[in-house]
Amino acid sequence: MCIRDRDDYKYNVNFSNAGLVLSYYEPETKPAWKGISFGFGYNRLNNFHNRISMSGKNSSNSLLDLYIADAQGNGTDTSSMDPFSTQLALYSGSIFSDTSTGIYYHHMQGTYGQEQSKSVTTSGSMGETVFSLGGNYNDKLYLGATIGIPHIRYHESSSYTETADTNALNGFQSFELNQDSRTTGVGFNLKFGMIYKPIDWIRVGGAIHTPSYFEMHDDWSSDMTTRFSSGSYSSESPTGLYDYSLVTPMRTIGSLGFVIKKMGLIGIDYEFVDYPSATLRSSKYKYINENKAIRNKYVEGSNIRFGTEWRLQPLSIRAGMAYYSSPFKQNGAGSRIDYSAGIGFREENFFLDFAFVLSQASENYYFYDASITSPSMNDSKSSRILMTLGFKF
């Protein structure tokens, strides 16, 4: 498949986080617990707003080949065909059967070379409501724990088109498949962390994030339109509904920080993510093949974050970089690099911070079955401008 270069962009404005922390600190207590803090808030963990467009010529196969494979052997009985794909192709005329043999065909067989294009628009976010408790032991050891209630809202809408050349059969011109899916979910997790100061200018930290246990709901639908020189025909699917459970990977984090004469701070974090441990569950379906595919296709991830801050009273300047490795076993597509820079203004009772984050990522996207088609290689860039305002009481 020959893929053409295409550009697209999308703007989005959102509210990232809010929180309140209540603290008690008694420095004269020796040696014992000198302080305790309780906090709660909301953090936006992921932004799903995105749009990609892909197109290219394919001289070897078609999406309709998969629908024919599903239809073969059914004869005139369409009840066992997929109502969200194969039935749509049949009822809209993209595939047809020989009534004497019961064998299915499509109008481009033997005349491949059609233009394939797809656009995908996604929206929504993943956020988390948190309740945290922290303690300070002798200004040396800092311990914390958080109860997290993550929630997901995701919407994907896609349009896939194949446009035939002039050699297609029966005046066939093109078909268009539109798909729409929505996912919502709410979950629960725990986080535990610590920071230890062996000496005043060194910080050593560690954290464990348990898997998140989600209760999920999906609904989806699709429609197809087939165009001939004589007219067009359309078919719509029913609405699919399904509830299931999702267990996300566990995370462990280690960190090291250096304080330079109370003017500068340099920090580095390493995060290990056990992607193959993600699991789907349902009382109605075993997900045996799907969970096996997760184990076979995903690999453990290593994420590294580096940052520095320097105080030039009353201003602070910051810069950082983060690398998120690909979760996929077969190739490096899926990795991401973030670059950030910021400036802050701090007084005794309030602070105001601004930051800019540039993200660069790569992804291999398959129009359909990866065993018979080549991927579209997508490079994406996103920019974020963040503002944080805080008050101390």
Side-chain angles (χ1 to χ4, degrees):
M1 182 177 181
C2 177
I3 302 293
R4 293 193 178 92
D5 292 336
R6 298 187 67 177
D7 297 322
D8 202 355
Y9 58 89
K10 192 173 189 292
Y11 295 104
N12 175 245
V13 178
N14 59 68
F15 186 76
S16 296
N17 55 70
L20 176 67
V21 178
L22 304 175
S23 298
Y24 169 80
Y25 179 66
E26 178 51 67
E28 301 303 323
T29 304
K30 295 183 180 180
W33 293 99
K34 294 180 176 291
I36 189 170
S37 299
F38 172 75
F40 63 93
Y42 167 81
N43 297 314
R44 191 182 183 96
L45 303 178
N46 208 337
N47 180 10
F48 299 133
H49 288 263
N50 192 29
R51 184 166 57 210
I52 56 176
S53 298
M54 303 153 282
S55 67
K57 287 278 190 178
N58 192 329
S59 300
S60 57
N61 56 70
S62 166
L63 174 61
L64 298 179
D65 293 330
L66 299 180
Y67 297 164
I68 286 177
D70 181 51
Q72 300 295 14
N74 290 291
T76 58
D77 180 15
T78 64
S79 60
S80 60
M81 297 180 186
D82 188 339
F84 300 94
S85 57
T86 308
Q87 283 186 8
L88 298 181
L90 179 62
Y91 296 159
S92 66
S94 285
I95 66 174
F96 60 94
S97 66
D98 184 329
T99 55
S100 63
T101 63
I103 297 176
Y104 285 82
Y105 302 91
H106 65 74
H107 307 279
M108 292 182 292
Q109 284 182 281
T111 63
Y112 294 122
Q114 74 278 15
E115 177 84 7
Q116 296 178 322
S117 62
K118 188 171 186 178
S119 62
V120 182
T121 301
T122 61
S123 62
S125 65
M126 179 176 178
E128 186 175 46
T129 302
V130 295
F131 301 88
S132 301
L133 182 66
N136 169 1
Y137 185 79
N138 204 31
D139 291 330
K140 283 282 190 180
L141 179 64
Y142 304 85
L143 301 175
T146 296
I147 297 174
I149 305 175
H151 26 89
I152 294 175
R153 179 178 54 85
Y154 178 81
H155 178 212
E156 178 177 307
S157 178
S158 68
S159 178
Y160 174 82
T161 302
E162 290 193 22
T163 303
D165 62 18
T166 56
N167 295 319
L169 304 176
N170 305 318
F172 174 84
Q173 294 179 338
S174 66
F175 76 87
E176 179 179 338
L177 173 66
N178 298 308
Q179 297 174 303
D180 190 88
S181 63
R182 298 176 186 270
T183 297
T184 57
V186 62
F188 172 84
N189 62 49
L190 296 173
K191 303 179 182 71
F192 304 95
M194 57 80 65
I195 298 175
Y196 178 67
K197 291 197 306 182
I199 54 179
D200 284 345
W201 57 278
I202 294 180
R203 308 286 191 272
V204 180
I208 295 176
H209 296 184
T210 71
S212 293
Y213 302 87
F214 282 96
E215 293 299 322
M216 308 290 291
H217 172 78
D218 287 358
D219 64 78
W220 64 97
S221 62
S222 55
D223 65 79
M224 182 179 287
T225 298
T226 304
R227 297 177 178 85
F228 298 87
S229 57
S230 58
S232 62
Y233 305 88
S234 298
S235 180
E236 296 183 359
S237 76
T239 298
L241 302 171
Y242 199 72
D243 295 318
Y244 59 100
S245 299
L246 169 66
V247 182
T248 65
M250 181 177 180
R251 298 170 181 262
T252 56
I253 303 169
S255 63
L256 186 63
F258 303 93
V259 178
I260 303 172
K261 295 183 179 181
K262 297 184 179 180
M263 292 180 56
L265 174 66
I266 298 174
I268 184 169
D269 291 348
Y270 171 80
E271 180 182 48
F272 173 82
V273 188
D274 187 17
Y275 291 114
S277 67
T279 304
L280 296 166
R281 296 173 179 169
S282 174
S283 60
K284 301 177 182 178
Y285 180 69
K286 299 301 183 182
Y287 281 110
I288 295 175
N289 292 332
E290 290 79 3
N291 288 326
K292 183 178 179 180
I294 291 173
R295 310 292 181 264
N296 292 335
K297 294 182 179 181
Y298 287 82
V299 67
E300 292 83 359
S302 295
N303 305 326
I304 299 175
R305 295 179 286 266
F306 171 83
T308 183
E309 177 179 340
W310 294 87
R311 296 180 180 178
L312 308 172
Q313 296 293 350
L315 296 178
S316 296
I317 56 174
R318 306 179 188 90
M321 184 179 71
Y323 171 77
Y324 300 89
S325 68
S326 170
F328 302 111
K329 184 178 294 185
Q330 296 300 322
N331 55 61
S335 62
R336 189 181 93 229
I337 299 178
D338 290 351
Y339 302 94
S340 62
I343 186 170
F345 178 82
R346 293 178 180 266
E347 289 290 351
E348 184 176 353
N349 296 323
F350 79 96
F351 60 87
L352 179 63
D353 295 327
F354 294 92
F356 173 80
V357 182
L358 172 65
S359 297
Q360 296 178 326
S362 62
E363 178 187 16
N364 287 347
Y365 191 100
Y366 292 86
F367 281 6
Y368 43 91
D369 194 331
S371 65
I372 64 173
T373 188
S374 301
S376 168
M377 291 163 283
N378 296 309
D379 295 322
S380 64
K381 292 183 180 180
S382 65
S383 301
R384 288 176 287 162
I385 298 176
L386 310 173
M387 184 189 76
T388 303
L389 177 64
F391 297 92
K392 298 180 181 180
F393 300 98

